Amino acid sequence: MSVGCKIIKTIKRPDRALVEAFKGMPVANIDDCMNRTAAVRSDICPLNKAPLLGTAFTVKVPEGDNLMFHAAMDMAQPGDVIVIDAGGDANRAIFGELMITYCQKRGLAGVIVDGAIRDSDEIAAMDFPVYAKAAIPNGPYKNGPGEINTVISFGGKVVRPGDIIVGDGDGIVVIKPEEAADIAAATRKVMEKEAGIMKHMMTSSTMSRTLSGNGMFLVAMAGLLDGLEVVVGRILDLVAAVVVVGREVGVQDHGVVAGDGALD
């Protein structure tokens, strides 16, 4: 039975132009255009500042074992990002500097692992994107089994072979190719809008005027509520003062009506 030990050699990759449409796009803007739900867990972090962009070449390994990653390094094509589901284990590294150098020389677009790496100082100095959950000196075993190019779980997200992977200092998003064109177009609009907001702030030192629609409504409502709070506070102070005066007048009236000895 091939369950848990499977290698699929051929995958469908999106057109390269579609992948390149996300070049230079901030991951935060992309995620905003995906209802802010597309990012992998925050504990999977970049090891250096190299931007990440490519198509997913998925690998699933047992915790602390990298046998299938060795096979994947020779199977993946230039422009692929090797995405490794290592079960989130942080107690044994899946790869280090030597394997990453080999991937870089083969023209791959990056390696990301839901697990641990080692040689973190050396990888940090490389111009090749690597993301991982942790770093630890303990090296991997090579016993297998594992899977290549099956659907995997990575950082809390489902990743399919051929999905578009984008990463920067904020983290990683996973994009389905069939949704990519619309997401890229929406992200460009967000970037243009934010550029306009930034330009306005730099020239006028204000921000409220750059808002529109719901944003302006919320700003106006916030101002109205602040004004109402002041008015209500003043009314309550006035009522309290009237009550105090009323009590004092009531005491004096009581003394007059009671006659001699009433206040003794």
Side-chain angles (χ1 to χ4, degrees), residues 28-121:
N29 289 155
I30 298 171
D31 189 56
D32 283 348
C33 295
M34 301 178 71
N35 284 309
R36 303 180 175 184
T37 60
V40 306
R41 289 194 318 266
S42 60
D43 58 354
I44 299 177
C45 301
L47 271 291
N48 53 46
K49 294 186 178 298
L52 176 69
L53 176 63
T55 52
F57 190 95
T58 64
V59 181
K60 185 175 183 179
V61 300
E63 294 181 359
D65 191 288
N66 72 357
L67 179 65
M68 284 298 180
F69 180 38
H70 276 275
M73 289 192 302
D74 288 317
M75 293 174 59
Q77 297 181 9
D80 285 345
V81 174
I82 297 183
V83 184
I84 306 172
D85 172 9
D89 178 64
N91 295 311
R92 193 167 297 281
I94 299 300
F95 57 80
E97 179 189 13
L98 292 178
M99 298 181 79
I100 291 303
T101 300
Y102 183 72
C103 289
Q104 184 179 30
K105 294 299 182 183
R106 291 206 63 246
L108 304 188
V111 180
I112 60 179
V113 57
D114 191 351
I117 58 97
R118 62 180 180 175
D119 302 328
S120 59
D121 290 341

Coordinates of all heavy atoms in Angstrom, one line a residue, residues 28-121:
A28 N 1.3 41.3 3.3 CA 0.2 41.8 4.0 C -0.9 42.3 3.1 O -2.1 42.1 3.4 CB 0.6 43.0 4.9
N29 N -0.6 43.0 2.0 CA -1.6 43.4 1.0 C -2.3 42.3 0.4 O -3.5 42.3 0.1 CB -0.9 44.3 0.0 CG -0.5 45.7 0.5 OD1 0.4 46.3 0.0 ND2 -1.1 46.1 1.6
I30 N -1.5 41.2 0.0 CA -2.1 40.1 -0.6 C -3.1 39.4 0.4 O -4.2 39.1 0.0 CB -1.0 39.0 -1.0 CG1 -0.1 39.7 -2.0 CG2 -1.6 37.8 -1.6 CD1 1.2 38.8 -2.3
D31 N -2.7 39.2 1.6 CA -3.5 38.6 2.6 C -4.8 39.4 2.8 O -5.9 38.9 3.0 CB -2.8 38.4 3.9 CG -3.5 37.6 4.9 OD1 -3.9 36.5 4.6 OD2 -3.8 38.1 6.0
D32 N -4.7 40.8 2.8 CA -5.9 41.6 2.9 C -6.9 41.3 1.9 O -8.1 41.4 2.1 CB -5.5 43.1 2.9 CG -4.9 43.6 4.2 OD1 -5.0 42.9 5.2 OD2 -4.4 44.7 4.2
C33 N -6.4 41.0 0.7 CA -7.3 40.7 -0.5 C -7.8 39.3 -0.5 O -8.5 38.9 -1.4 CB -6.6 41.0 -1.8 SG -6.2 42.8 -2.0
M34 N -7.4 38.5 0.5 CA -7.9 37.1 0.7 C -8.6 37.0 2.0 O -8.6 36.0 2.7 CB -6.7 36.2 0.6 CG -5.9 36.2 -0.7 SD -4.5 35.1 -0.8 CE -5.3 33.5 -0.9
N35 N -9.3 38.1 2.4 CA -10.1 38.2 3.6 C -9.3 37.9 4.8 O -9.7 37.5 5.8 CB -11.3 37.3 3.5 CG -12.4 37.8 2.7 OD1 -12.8 38.9 2.8 ND2 -12.9 37.0 1.7
R36 N -7.9 38.2 4.7 CA -7.0 38.1 5.8 C -7.0 36.8 6.5 O -6.9 36.6 7.7 CB -7.4 39.2 6.9 CG -7.3 40.6 6.3 CD -7.7 41.7 7.2 NE -7.5 43.0 6.6 CZ -7.6 44.2 7.2 NH1 -7.9 44.2 8.5 NH2 -7.4 45.3 6.5
T37 N -7.0 35.7 5.6 CA -7.1 34.4 6.1 C -6.1 33.4 5.5 O -6.1 32.2 5.7 CB -8.5 33.8 5.9 OG1 -8.8 33.8 4.5 CG2 -9.6 34.6 6.6
A38 N -5.2 34.0 4.6 CA -4.3 33.1 3.8 C -3.0 32.8 4.4 O -2.2 32.0 3.8 CB -4.2 33.7 2.4
A39 N -2.6 33.5 5.4 CA -1.2 33.4 6.0 C -1.0 32.1 6.8 O -1.9 31.7 7.5 CB -0.9 34.6 6.8
V40 N 0.2 31.5 6.7 CA 0.5 30.4 7.5 C 0.8 30.9 8.9 O 0.9 32.1 9.2 CB 1.7 29.6 6.9 CG1 1.5 29.2 5.5 CG2 3.0 30.4 7.0
R41 N 1.0 30.0 9.9 CA 1.2 30.4 11.3 C 2.4 31.3 11.4 O 3.4 31.1 10.7 CB 1.4 29.1 12.1 CG 0.2 28.3 12.4 CD 0.5 27.3 13.5 NE 1.8 26.7 13.4 CZ 2.1 25.6 12.8 NH1 1.1 24.9 12.3 NH2 3.3 25.1 12.8
S42 N 2.4 32.1 12.4 CA 3.4 33.1 12.6 C 4.7 32.5 13.1 O 5.8 33.2 13.1 CB 3.0 34.2 13.6 OG 2.6 33.6 14.8
D43 N 4.7 31.3 13.6 CA 5.9 30.7 14.1 C 6.9 30.2 13.0 O 8.0 29.7 13.3 CB 5.7 29.6 15.1 CG 4.8 28.5 14.6 OD1 4.3 28.6 13.4 OD2 4.6 27.5 15.3
I44 N 6.4 30.2 11.8 CA 7.3 29.9 10.6 C 7.8 31.2 10.1 O 7.1 31.9 9.5 CB 6.5 29.1 9.6 CG1 6.0 27.8 10.2 CG2 7.4 28.8 8.3 CD1 5.1 26.9 9.2
C45 N 9.1 31.4 10.3 CA 9.7 32.7 10.1 C 10.8 32.6 9.0 O 11.5 31.6 8.9 CB 10.3 33.2 11.4 SG 9.1 33.4 12.7
P46 N 11.1 33.8 8.4 CA 12.2 33.8 7.4 C 13.6 33.7 8.1 O 13.8 34.3 9.2 CB 12.0 35.1 6.7 CG 11.3 36.0 7.7 CD 10.4 35.1 8.5
L47 N 14.5 33.0 7.5 CA 15.9 33.0 8.1 C 16.8 34.1 7.5 O 17.9 34.3 8.0 CB 16.5 31.6 7.7 CG 16.3 30.4 8.7 CD1 17.0 30.7 10.0 CD2 14.8 30.2 9.0
N48 N 16.3 34.7 6.4 CA 17.1 35.8 5.8 C 16.1 36.8 5.1 O 14.9 36.6 5.3 CB 18.2 35.3 4.9 CG 17.6 34.4 3.8 OD1 16.5 34.6 3.2 ND2 18.3 33.2 3.6
K49 N 16.6 37.7 4.4 CA 15.7 38.7 3.8 C 15.4 38.5 2.3 O 14.8 39.3 1.7 CB 16.4 40.1 4.0 CG 16.4 40.6 5.4 CD 16.9 42.0 5.5 CE 17.0 42.5 7.0 NZ 15.6 42.5 7.6
A50 N 15.8 37.3 1.8 CA 15.6 37.0 0.4 C 14.0 36.8 0.2 O 13.4 36.1 0.9 CB 16.3 35.8 0.0
P51 N 13.5 37.5 -0.8 CA 12.0 37.4 -1.1 C 11.7 36.0 -1.6 O 12.5 35.4 -2.3 CB 11.7 38.5 -2.1 CG 13.1 38.7 -2.8 CD 14.1 38.5 -1.7
L52 N 10.5 35.5 -1.2 CA 10.1 34.2 -1.6 C 8.9 34.3 -2.6 O 7.9 34.9 -2.3 CB 9.6 33.5 -0.3 CG 9.0 32.1 -0.5 CD1 10.1 31.1 -1.0 CD2 8.3 31.6 0.8
L53 N 9.1 33.6 -3.7 CA 8.0 33.6 -4.8 C 8.3 32.4 -5.7 O 9.3 32.3 -6.3 CB 8.0 34.9 -5.6 CG 7.0 34.9 -6.7 CD1 5.6 34.8 -6.2 CD2 7.2 36.2 -7.6
G54 N 7.3 31.5 -5.8 CA 7.4 30.3 -6.6 C 6.2 29.4 -6.5 O 5.2 29.8 -5.9
T55 N 6.3 28.3 -7.2 CA 5.2 27.3 -7.1 C 5.6 26.1 -6.2 O 6.7 25.7 -6.1 CB 5.0 26.7 -8.6 OG1 6.3 26.2 -9.1 CG2 4.5 27.8 -9.5
A56 N 4.6 25.7 -5.5 CA 4.8 24.7 -4.4 C 5.1 23.3 -5.0 O 4.4 22.8 -5.9 CB 3.5 24.6 -3.6
F57 N 6.2 22.8 -4.5 CA 6.6 21.4 -4.7 C 6.6 20.7 -3.4 O 7.5 21.0 -2.6 CB 8.0 21.3 -5.4 CG 8.4 20.0 -5.9 CD1 8.2 19.6 -7.2 CD2 9.0 19.0 -5.0 CE1 8.6 18.4 -7.7 CE2 9.4 17.8 -5.5 CZ 9.2 17.5 -6.8
T58 N 5.6 20.0 -3.1 CA 5.3 19.5 -1.7 C 6.0 18.3 -1.3 O 6.2 17.3 -2.1 CB 3.8 19.4 -1.5 OG1 3.3 18.3 -2.3 CG2 3.0 20.6 -1.8
V59 N 6.4 18.2 0.0 CA 7.1 17.1 0.5 C 6.5 16.8 1.9 O 6.4 17.8 2.7 CB 8.6 17.3 0.6 CG1 9.3 16.0 1.2 CG2 9.2 17.6 -0.7
K60 N 6.2 15.6 2.2 CA 5.8 15.2 3.6 C 6.8 14.2 4.1 O 7.1 13.2 3.5 CB 4.4 14.6 3.5 CG 3.8 14.3 4.9 CD 2.4 13.9 4.8 CE 1.8 13.6 6.2 NZ 0.4 13.2 6.1
V61 N 7.3 14.5 5.3 CA 8.3 13.6 5.9 C 7.9 13.3 7.3 O 7.2 14.0 8.0 CB 9.7 14.3 5.9 CG1 10.2 14.6 4.5 CG2 9.7 15.6 6.8
P62 N 8.4 12.1 7.9 CA 8.2 11.8 9.3 C 9.0 12.8 10.1 O 9.9 13.4 9.6 CB 8.7 10.4 9.4 CG 8.8 9.9 8.1 CD 9.0 11.0 7.1
E63 N 8.6 13.0 11.3 CA 9.3 14.0 12.2 C 10.8 13.6 12.3 O 11.1 12.5 12.6 CB 8.7 14.0 13.6 CG 7.3 14.6 13.6 CD 6.7 14.6 14.9 OE1 7.3 14.2 15.9 OE2 5.5 15.1 15.1
G64 N 11.7 14.6 12.0 CA 13.1 14.3 12.1 C 13.7 13.5 11.0 O 14.9 13.1 11.2
D65 N 13.1 13.3 9.9 CA 13.6 12.5 8.8 C 13.5 13.3 7.5 O 12.5 13.9 7.2 CB 12.7 11.2 8.7 CG 13.4 10.2 7.8 OD1 13.4 10.4 6.5 OD2 13.8 9.1 8.2
N66 N 14.6 13.2 6.7 CA 14.6 14.0 5.4 C 14.9 13.2 4.2 O 15.3 13.7 3.1 CB 15.7 15.1 5.5 CG 17.1 14.6 5.5 OD1 17.4 13.4 5.4 ND2 18.1 15.5 5.5
L67 N 14.6 11.9 4.2 CA 14.9 11.0 3.1 C 14.2 11.5 1.8 O 14.8 11.7 0.7 CB 14.4 9.6 3.3 CG 14.6 8.6 2.2 CD1 16.1 8.4 1.9 CD2 14.0 7.2 2.5
M68 N 12.9 11.9 1.9 CA 12.1 12.4 0.8 C 12.6 13.8 0.3 O 12.4 14.1 -0.9 CB 10.6 12.3 1.1 CG 10.0 11.0 1.1 SD 10.1 10.2 -0.6 CE 9.3 8.6 -0.3
F69 N 13.1 14.5 1.2 CA 13.6 15.8 0.8 C 14.8 15.7 -0.1 O 15.0 16.4 -1.1 CB 14.0 16.7 2.0 CG 14.6 18.0 1.7 CD1 14.1 18.8 0.7 CD2 15.6 18.6 2.4 CE1 14.6 20.1 0.4 CE2 16.1 19.8 2.2 CZ 15.6 20.6 1.1
H70 N 15.7 14.7 0.1 CA 16.8 14.4 -0.7 C 16.3 14.1 -2.2 O 16.9 14.6 -3.1 CB 17.6 13.2 -0.2 CG 18.6 13.5 0.8 ND1 19.9 14.0 0.5 CD2 18.5 13.5 2.2 CE1 20.5 14.2 1.7 NE2 19.7 13.9 2.7
A71 N 15.2 13.3 -2.3 CA 14.7 12.9 -3.6 C 14.1 14.2 -4.2 O 14.3 14.4 -5.4 CB 13.6 11.8 -3.4
A72 N 13.4 15.0 -3.4 CA 12.7 16.2 -4.0 C 13.7 17.2 -4.5 O 13.4 17.9 -5.5 CB 11.9 16.8 -2.9
M73 N 14.9 17.3 -3.9 CA 15.8 18.3 -4.4 C 16.2 18.1 -5.9 O 16.5 19.0 -6.6 CB 17.1 18.3 -3.6 CG 16.9 18.8 -2.2 SD 18.5 19.1 -1.3 CE 19.2 17.4 -1.4
D74 N 16.2 16.8 -6.3 CA 16.6 16.5 -7.7 C 15.4 16.5 -8.6 O 15.5 16.6 -9.8 CB 17.3 15.2 -7.8 CG 18.7 15.2 -7.2 OD1 19.4 16.2 -7.5 OD2 19.1 14.3 -6.5
M75 N 14.2 16.4 -8.1 CA 13.0 16.3 -8.9 C 12.4 17.7 -9.1 O 11.8 18.0 -10.2 CB 11.9 15.5 -8.2 CG 12.2 14.0 -8.1 SD 11.0 13.1 -7.1 CE 9.5 13.4 -8.0
A76 N 12.5 18.6 -8.2 CA 12.0 19.9 -8.3 C 12.6 20.7 -9.5 O 13.8 20.5 -9.8 CB 12.1 20.7 -7.0
Q77 N 11.9 21.6 -10.1 CA 12.3 22.4 -11.2 C 12.7 23.8 -10.8 O 12.2 24.3 -9.8 CB 11.3 22.4 -12.3 CG 11.0 21.0 -12.9 CD 9.9 21.0 -14.0 OE1 9.5 22.1 -14.4 NE2 9.5 19.9 -14.4
P78 N 13.5 24.5 -11.6 CA 13.7 25.9 -11.3 C 12.4 26.7 -11.2 O 11.5 26.5 -12.0 CB 14.5 26.4 -12.6 CG 15.3 25.1 -13.0 CD 14.3 24.0 -12.7
G79 N 12.3 27.5 -10.2 CA 11.1 28.3 -9.9 C 10.2 27.6 -8.9 O 9.3 28.3 -8.4
D80 N 10.5 26.4 -8.5 CA 9.7 25.7 -7.5 C 10.2 26.1 -6.1 O 11.4 26.3 -5.9 CB 9.8 24.2 -7.6 CG 9.1 23.6 -8.8 OD1 8.2 24.3 -9.4 OD2 9.3 22.5 -9.2
V81 N 9.2 26.1 -5.2 CA 9.5 26.3 -3.8 C 9.2 24.9 -3.1 O 8.1 24.4 -3.2 CB 8.6 27.4 -3.1 CG1 8.8 27.4 -1.6 CG2 8.9 28.7 -3.7
I82 N 10.2 24.3 -2.5 CA 10.0 23.0 -1.8 C 9.3 23.3 -0.5 O 9.9 24.1 0.3 CB 11.3 22.3 -1.6 CG1 11.9 21.9 -3.0 CG2 11.1 21.0 -0.8 CD1 13.2 21.0 -2.9
V83 N 8.1 22.8 -0.3 CA 7.3 23.0 0.9 C 7.3 21.7 1.7 O 6.7 20.8 1.2 CB 5.9 23.5 0.5 CG1 5.1 23.8 1.8 CG2 5.9 24.7 -0.4
I84 N 7.9 21.7 2.8 CA 8.1 20.5 3.6 C 7.2 20.5 4.8 O 7.3 21.3 5.7 CB 9.5 20.3 4.1 CG1 10.5 20.4 2.9 CG2 9.7 19.0 4.8 CD1 11.9 20.5 3.3
D85 N 6.3 19.5 4.9 CA 5.5 19.2 6.1 C 6.2 18.3 6.9 O 6.3 17.1 6.7 CB 4.1 18.7 5.6 CG 3.3 18.2 6.8 OD1 3.7 18.4 8.0 OD2 2.2 17.5 6.5
A86 N 6.9 18.8 8.0 CA 7.7 18.0 8.9 C 6.9 17.8 10.2 O 7.5 17.5 11.3 CB 9.0 18.6 9.1
G87 N 5.6 18.0 10.2 CA 4.8 17.8 11.4 C 4.9 18.8 12.4 O 4.5 18.7 13.6
G88 N 5.6 19.9 12.1 CA 5.8 21.0 13.1 C 6.9 20.6 14.2 O 7.1 21.4 15.1
D89 N 7.6 19.5 14.0 CA 8.6 19.1 15.0 C 9.8 20.0 15.0 O 10.3 20.3 14.0 CB 9.0 17.7 14.7 CG 10.0 17.2 15.7 OD1 9.7 17.1 16.9 OD2 11.2 16.9 15.3
A90 N 10.2 20.4 16.2 CA 11.3 21.4 16.3 C 12.5 20.7 17.0 O 13.4 21.4 17.4 CB 10.9 22.6 17.1
N91 N 12.5 19.4 17.2 CA 13.6 18.7 17.9 C 14.7 18.2 17.1 O 15.7 17.7 17.6 CB 13.0 17.6 18.8 CG 12.0 18.2 19.9 OD1 12.4 19.1 20.6 ND2 10.8 17.7 20.0
R92 N 14.5 18.2 15.7 CA 15.5 17.6 14.9 C 15.5 18.3 13.5 O 14.4 18.5 12.9 CB 15.3 16.1 14.7 CG 16.5 15.4 14.0 CD 16.4 13.9 14.2 NE 16.4 13.5 15.6 CZ 17.5 13.3 16.3 NH1 18.7 13.6 15.8 NH2 17.4 13.0 17.6
A93 N 16.6 18.8 13.1 CA 16.6 19.6 11.8 C 16.4 18.7 10.6 O 16.9 17.6 10.6 CB 18.0 20.3 11.7
I94 N 15.7 19.3 9.6 CA 15.4 18.5 8.4 C 16.6 18.8 7.4 O 16.8 18.0 6.5 CB 14.1 18.9 7.8 CG1 13.0 18.6 8.8 CG2 13.8 18.3 6.5 CD1 12.9 17.1 9.1
F95 N 17.2 20.0 7.4 CA 18.3 20.3 6.5 C 19.1 21.4 7.1 O 18.8 22.0 8.1 CB 17.7 20.7 5.1 CG 16.8 21.9 5.2 CD1 17.3 23.2 5.3 CD2 15.4 21.8 5.1 CE1 16.4 24.3 5.4 CE2 14.6 22.8 5.2 CZ 15.1 24.1 5.3
G96 N 20.3 21.6 6.4 CA 21.2 22.7 6.8 C 21.8 23.4 5.6 O 21.2 23.3 4.5
E97 N 23.0 23.9 5.8 CA 23.6 24.8 4.7 C 23.9 24.0 3.5 O 23.7 24.5 2.3 CB 24.9 25.4 5.3 CG 25.6 26.2 4.3 CD 27.0 26.6 4.8 OE1 27.5 26.0 5.8 OE2 27.6 27.5 4.1
L98 N 24.4 22.8 3.6 CA 24.8 22.0 2.4 C 23.6 21.8 1.4 O 23.7 22.0 0.2 CB 25.4 20.7 2.8 CG 26.8 20.8 3.5 CD1 27.3 19.4 3.8 CD2 27.8 21.5 2.5
M99 N 22.5 21.3 2.0 CA 21.3 21.0 1.1 C 20.7 22.3 0.6 O 20.3 22.3 -0.6 CB 20.3 20.2 2.0 CG 20.8 18.9 2.5 SD 19.6 18.0 3.4 CE 18.6 17.3 2.1
I100 N 20.7 23.4 1.3 CA 20.2 24.6 0.8 C 21.1 25.2 -0.3 O 20.6 25.7 -1.3 CB 20.1 25.7 1.9 CG1 18.9 25.2 2.9 CG2 19.8 27.1 1.4 CD1 17.6 25.0 2.2
T101 N 22.4 25.0 -0.2 CA 23.3 25.5 -1.2 C 23.0 24.7 -2.5 O 23.0 25.3 -3.6 CB 24.8 25.3 -0.8 OG1 25.0 26.1 0.4 CG2 25.7 25.7 -1.9
Y102 N 22.8 23.4 -2.4 CA 22.5 22.6 -3.6 C 21.2 23.0 -4.2 O 21.1 23.2 -5.4 CB 22.3 21.1 -3.1 CG 22.1 20.2 -4.3 CD1 23.1 19.9 -5.2 CD2 20.9 19.5 -4.4 CE1 22.9 19.0 -6.2 CE2 20.6 18.7 -5.5 CZ 21.7 18.4 -6.4 OH 21.4 17.5 -7.4
C103 N 20.1 23.3 -3.4 CA 18.9 23.8 -4.0 C 19.1 25.2 -4.7 O 18.5 25.4 -5.8 CB 17.9 24.0 -2.8 SG 17.3 22.4 -2.1
Q104 N 19.9 26.0 -4.1 CA 20.1 27.3 -4.8 C 20.8 27.1 -6.1 O 20.5 27.8 -7.1 CB 21.0 28.2 -3.8 CG 21.3 29.6 -4.4 CD 22.1 30.4 -3.4 OE1 22.9 29.9 -2.7 NE2 21.9 31.7 -3.4
K105 N 21.8 26.2 -6.2 CA 22.6 26.0 -7.4 C 21.7 25.4 -8.5 O 21.9 25.6 -9.7 CB 23.7 25.1 -7.1 CG 24.8 25.7 -6.2 CD 25.4 26.9 -6.9 CE 26.5 27.5 -6.0 NZ 27.1 28.7 -6.6
R106 N 20.6 24.7 -8.1 CA 19.7 24.1 -9.1 C 18.6 25.1 -9.5 O 17.8 24.8 -10.4 CB 19.0 22.9 -8.5 CG 19.9 21.7 -8.2 CD 19.2 20.4 -8.3 NE 18.5 20.1 -9.6 CZ 17.2 20.1 -9.8 NH1 16.4 20.3 -8.8 NH2 16.8 19.9 -11.0
G107 N 18.6 26.3 -9.0 CA 17.7 27.3 -9.5 C 16.3 27.3 -8.8 O 15.4 27.8 -9.4
L108 N 16.2 26.6 -7.7 CA 14.9 26.5 -7.0 C 14.6 27.9 -6.4 O 15.5 28.7 -6.2 CB 14.9 25.5 -5.9 CG 15.3 24.0 -6.4 CD1 15.0 23.0 -5.3 CD2 14.5 23.6 -7.6
A109 N 13.4 28.1 -6.1 CA 13.0 29.5 -5.7 C 12.9 29.6 -4.1 O 12.6 30.7 -3.6 CB 11.6 29.8 -6.2
G110 N 13.2 28.5 -3.4 CA 13.2 28.6 -2.0 C 12.8 27.3 -1.3 O 12.4 26.3 -2.0
V111 N 13.1 27.2 0.0 CA 12.7 26.0 0.7 C 12.1 26.5 2.0 O 12.6 27.3 2.8 CB 13.9 25.1 1.1 CG1 13.5 23.9 1.9 CG2 14.6 24.7 -0.2
I112 N 10.9 25.9 2.3 CA 10.2 26.3 3.6 C 9.8 25.0 4.3 O 9.4 24.0 3.7 CB 9.0 27.2 3.3 CG1 8.0 26.5 2.4 CG2 9.4 28.5 2.7 CD1 6.7 27.4 2.2
V113 N 9.9 25.0 5.6 CA 9.7 23.8 6.4 C 8.9 24.1 7.6 O 9.2 25.0 8.4 CB 11.0 23.1 6.7 CG1 11.9 24.0 7.5 CG2 10.7 21.8 7.5
D114 N 7.8 23.3 7.9 CA 7.1 23.4 9.1 C 7.8 22.4 10.1 O 7.4 21.3 10.3 CB 5.6 22.9 8.9 CG 4.8 23.2 10.1 OD1 5.3 23.6 11.2 OD2 3.5 23.1 10.0
G115 N 9.0 22.9 10.5 CA 9.8 22.1 11.3 C 11.1 22.9 11.5 O 11.2 24.1 11.4
A116 N 12.2 22.1 11.8 CA 13.5 22.8 12.2 C 14.5 22.7 11.2 O 14.5 21.8 10.3 CB 14.0 22.2 13.5
I117 N 15.5 23.6 11.3 CA 16.7 23.6 10.4 C 17.9 23.7 11.3 O 17.8 23.9 12.5 CB 16.7 24.7 9.4 CG1 16.6 26.1 10.1 CG2 15.5 24.6 8.4 CD1 17.9 26.8 10.2
R118 N 19.1 23.6 10.7 CA 20.4 23.9 11.4 C 21.3 24.7 10.5 O 20.9 25.0 9.4 CB 21.1 22.7 11.9 CG 21.5 21.7 10.9 CD 22.2 20.5 11.6 NE 22.7 19.5 10.7 CZ 23.4 18.4 11.1 NH1 23.6 18.2 12.4 NH2 23.8 17.5 10.2
D119 N 22.4 25.1 11.0 CA 23.3 26.1 10.2 C 22.6 27.4 10.0 O 22.7 28.0 8.9 CB 23.8 25.4 8.9 CG 24.5 24.1 9.1 OD1 25.2 23.9 10.1 OD2 24.4 23.3 8.2
S120 N 21.9 27.9 11.0 CA 21.1 29.1 10.8 C 21.9 30.3 10.5 O 21.5 31.2 9.7 CB 20.2 29.3 12.0 OG 21.0 29.5 13.2
D121 N 23.1 30.4 11.0 CA 24.0 31.6 10.8 C 24.4 31.6 9.3 O 24.4 32.7 8.7 CB 25.2 31.6 11.7 CG 24.9 31.9 13.1 OD1 23.8 32.4 13.4 OD2 25.7 31.5 14.0

